[in-house]
Amino acid sequence: MIDYEEKAQKNLEKFNAYLAEDPRVEKLNAMYDVFGEQLLTAPASGKVHYHNAFPGGYLDHVVHVADAAMKVATAYKAIGGEIDFTKQEMVFAAIHHDLGKLGSEAGPYYLDQDSDWHRKRGEMYTHNENIQYMTVTDRALYLLQKFEIPVTEKEWLAIKLSDGMYDDSNKVYLKSFGKYPMKTNLPYVIHWADHMACTAERDTTKF
């Protein structure tokens, strides 16, 4: 039986350690103070067959992606890829790529599923229809600017494009056929880390 509270506390310690290394930590902490317990209790998805659909799943996921990104960057460099971004930019993008899943000041992004029929199908949470609809990455970028947290161009692109081609709106950036090539490799590293982390998380919670 997973002790979600203990798991969340361990992830919070690692998350706070990542924040502490960032010069924007004061403003970041002010933003997370607004979300309070949501940071500790939010899931990373609503369905078990997606990934981390459990209390604290969000925090577990973003820490996992940050850890994975460092390993992906190392592997990418080893095969000849250019690391044209800083560790700070990579970690910042990794731990904020899914920020929109915390919701907004108006309420959480996910609500507990109250339908037993849906829960038996692995649908543990439902979307909160009382908050304004935004894509997860758009809400992430909105929240960062709302709390006056400066974001570099590379961080912005990495967060925006973290879902890769799974988000149709990213095609104009990623499917340029050389006309407008990406001028940084950070979006690729974050997407690869996110995709691998999601897949690994799904493997540990078979439904």
Side-chain angles (χ1 to χ4, degrees):
M1 188 75 173
I2 298 174
D3 186 333
Y4 291 121
E5 185 174 347
E6 180 181 357
K7 188 178 181 70
Q9 287 297 331
K10 288 181 179 179
N11 284 323
L12 182 61
E13 290 175 9
K14 183 175 284 190
F15 181 83
N16 284 334
Y18 278 135
L19 289 188
E21 296 177 354
D22 196 302
R24 296 162 287 192
V25 62
E26 187 174 338
K27 288 188 174 183
L28 287 167
N29 282 335
M31 176 179 71
Y32 286 113
D33 283 345
V34 171
F35 287 106
E37 288 297 308
Q38 283 176 234
L39 177 61
L40 285 171
T41 61
S45 75
K47 300 178 181 179
V48 173
H49 59 274
Y50 285 178
H51 71 116
N52 278 19
F54 57 78
Y58 167 86
L59 190 58
D60 184 72
H61 175 65
V62 297
V63 167
H64 193 187
V65 174
D67 292 345
M70 287 187 278
K71 295 174 182 177
V72 168
T74 298
Y76 187 56
K77 183 178 181 180
I79 63 172
E82 181 184 2
I83 303 302
D84 57 358
F85 47 85
T86 66
K87 177 184 175 183
Q88 179 181 294
E89 288 176 315
M90 179 176 65
V91 171
F92 181 89
I95 63 175
H96 293 102
H97 77 284
D98 267 352
L99 177 61
K101 289 183 179 179
L102 290 184
S104 72
E105 293 169 289
Y109 182 76
Y110 287 112
L111 298 175
D112 288 335
Q113 176 61 258
D114 58 10
S115 163
D116 188 56
W117 184 84
H118 285 90
R119 291 182 68 84
K120 287 179 179 178
R121 292 166 56 87
E123 298 175 27
M124 313 308 290
Y125 297 89
T126 184
H127 292 102
N128 185 356
E129 296 182 359
N130 293 319
I131 63 174
Q132 172 60 47
Y133 169 77
M134 291 185 188
T135 65
V136 170
T137 53
D138 282 352
R139 188 184 301 282
L141 294 166
Y142 164 74
L143 288 170
L144 291 169
Q145 66 82 31
K146 176 179 174 61
F147 287 92
E148 300 181 345
I149 298 165
V151 178
T152 69
E153 182 178 86
K154 292 177 182 179
E155 291 167 342
W156 192 98
L157 287 167
I159 292 170
K160 168 66 179 174
L161 304 177
S162 58
D163 287 329
M165 297 291 278
Y166 288 99
D167 184 338
D168 287 342
S169 69
N170 292 342
K171 288 182 179 180
V172 67
Y173 291 94
L174 299 173
K175 204 172 182 180
S176 62
F177 300 107
K179 186 177 181 181
Y180 303 111
M182 191 68 61
K183 299 188 185 304
T184 173
N185 290 321
L186 185 57
Y188 301 124
V189 169
I190 295 300
H191 173 58
W192 294 331
D194 182 31
H195 192 235
M196 285 192 284
C198 286
T199 303
E201 289 158 10
R202 187 181 63 214
D203 285 348
T204 62
T205 53
K206 295 290 188 183
F207 178 69

